[in-house]
Amino acid sequence: EAGVTQFPSHSVIEKGQTVTLRCDPISGHDNLYWYRRVMGKEIKFLLHFVKESKQDESGMPNNRFLAERTGGTYSTLKVQPAELEDSGVYFCASSRQGSRSGANVLTFGAGSRLTVL
Amino acid sequence: RKEVEQDPGPFNVPEGATVAFNCTYSNSASQSFFWYRQDCRKEPKLLMSVYSSGNEDGRFTAQLNRASQYISLLIRDSKLSDSATYLCVVNKAGGYNKLIFGAGTRLAVHP
């Protein structure tokens, strides 16, 4: 089974530019999550899709971030315009079924490293 | 106060040593608990879930104390390959895999 794949692995952009990160979850996984780790801090939740619907977007930092999952397959996370504090590693994760108990294991992608200059 | 607190380390131990990591969490309604392992510039990977009764997987033992809101991970007979950052992770109460991560504890095992 192919894992969670993310693209690009590393992106370097200037402040004010736009970047779009892509995540392909494991086939058949309805749940897709975006997490972020900024330098020196812990990994933090951004949002959660169930198929194409946003289940929880409470972790999105502000309206410069837009996540989509058209068709319930891959997802994109766009940052526009990028700011210096957006630098970090953006992880995508997927799981097969939702579970309030959290017992359903997440599989993480290798992450997209974003550097904003 | 952070929701999940860990000693950042680093813990520098020789091969064969036993090492223990601790973690505390602030939300008493948290439902699920995990230890993840993250190698440098890699993604987090689930090491083991943590149950109230305690659980063991080979050289790794995890324990949960709900009354004290405390989680531990014990690694016996450390190997060089155990060198990594160990992340204490709590599932937010009522949240679908809305994981709350600790900042991680670095372990370096040397020959």
Side-chain angles (χ1 to χ4, degrees), chain A residues 1-7 21-34 47-53 68-77 91-97 104-112:
Chain A
E1 161 177 270
V4 177
T5 57
Q6 293 188 244
F7 181 83
L21 310 177
R22 173 172 169 144
C23 169
D24 286 78
I26 293 172
S27 178
H29 282 195
D30 287 341
N31 293 275
L32 186 149
Y33 307 81
W34 284 98
L47 88 160
H48 168 210
F49 284 100
V50 177
K51 297 185 180 177
E52 68 275 8
S53 299
E68 295 180 320
R69 192 184 182 195
T70 307
T73 54
Y74 70 91
S75 174
T76 58
L77 179 64
F91 291 104
C92 177
S94 70
S95 68
R96 185 174 300 277
Q97 290 178 353
N104 199 266
V105 175
L106 267 63
T107 301
F108 282 82
S112 290

Side-chain angles (χ1 to χ4, degrees), chain B:
Chain B
R1 183 188 171 190
K2 291 183 180 179
E3 292 187 73
V4 178
E5 299 247 27
Q6 295 182 250
D7 181 343
F11 285 61
N12 294 299
V13 303
E15 276 186 288
T18 295
V19 61
F21 305 139
N22 303 318
C23 164
T24 58
Y25 61 95
S26 61
N27 188 340
S28 59
S30 298
Q31 297 178 342
S32 307
F33 310 89
F34 311 91
W35 283 101
Y36 275 73
R37 171 194 168 128
Q38 187 174 25
D39 293 286
C40 188
R41 292 183 173 264
K42 299 281 189 178
E43 70 274 23
K45 291 185 178 179
L46 179 67
L47 178 66
M48 57 198 304
S49 301
V50 187
Y51 304 116
S52 297
S53 54
N55 48 301
E56 187 174 311
D57 182 1
R59 298 181 292 108
F60 299 84
T61 301
Q63 297 217 314
L64 167 66
N65 183 322
R66 285 187 183 270
S68 302
Q69 295 178 205
Y70 170 96
I71 306 163
S72 66
L73 176 68
L74 182 77
I75 305 176
R76 290 181 298 278
D77 188 24
S78 299
K79 311 290 184 190
L80 296 177
S81 58
D82 293 335
S83 298
T85 296
Y86 290 82
L87 305 170
C88 178
V89 183
V90 173
N91 193 51
K92 194 173 181 69
Y96 285 85
N97 282 319
K98 187 174 181 177
L99 303 180
I100 309 298
F101 284 80
T105 299
R106 281 181 51 212
L107 171 65
V109 182
H110 57 81

Side-chain angles (χ1 to χ4, degrees), chain A:
Chain A
E1 161 177 270
V4 177
T5 57
Q6 293 188 244
F7 181 83
S9 57
H10 192 185
S11 180
V12 181
I13 62 173
E14 293 190 350
K15 175 182 171 180
Q17 289 186 319
T18 297
V19 63
T20 300
L21 310 177
R22 173 172 169 144
C23 169
D24 286 78
I26 293 172
S27 178
H29 282 195
D30 287 341
N31 293 275
L32 186 149
Y33 307 81
W34 284 98
Y35 284 81
R36 175 175 79 164
R37 183 170 203 160
V38 296
M39 183 71 74
K41 298 289 183 74
E42 61 274 18
I43 297 171
K44 287 196 171 178
F45 169 86
L46 295 179
L47 88 160
H48 168 210
F49 284 100
V50 177
K51 297 185 180 177
E52 68 275 8
S53 299
K54 290 177 185 174
Q55 177 76 21
D56 182 345
E57 53 183 327
S58 60
M60 294 288 265
N62 51 61
N63 59 9
R64 295 186 293 104
F65 289 75
L66 174 65
E68 295 180 320
R69 192 184 182 195
T70 307
T73 54
Y74 70 91
S75 174
T76 58
L77 179 64
K78 182 162 71 172
V79 186
Q80 179 183 32
E83 298 289 344
L84 298 179
E85 64 265 25
D86 301 333
S87 295
V89 182
Y90 291 77
F91 291 104
C92 177
S94 70
S95 68
R96 185 174 300 277
Q97 290 178 353
S99 166
R100 284 197 179 274
S101 71
N104 199 266
V105 175
L106 267 63
T107 301
F108 282 82
S112 290
R113 182 174 296 274
L114 174 63
T115 302
V116 183
L117 303 176

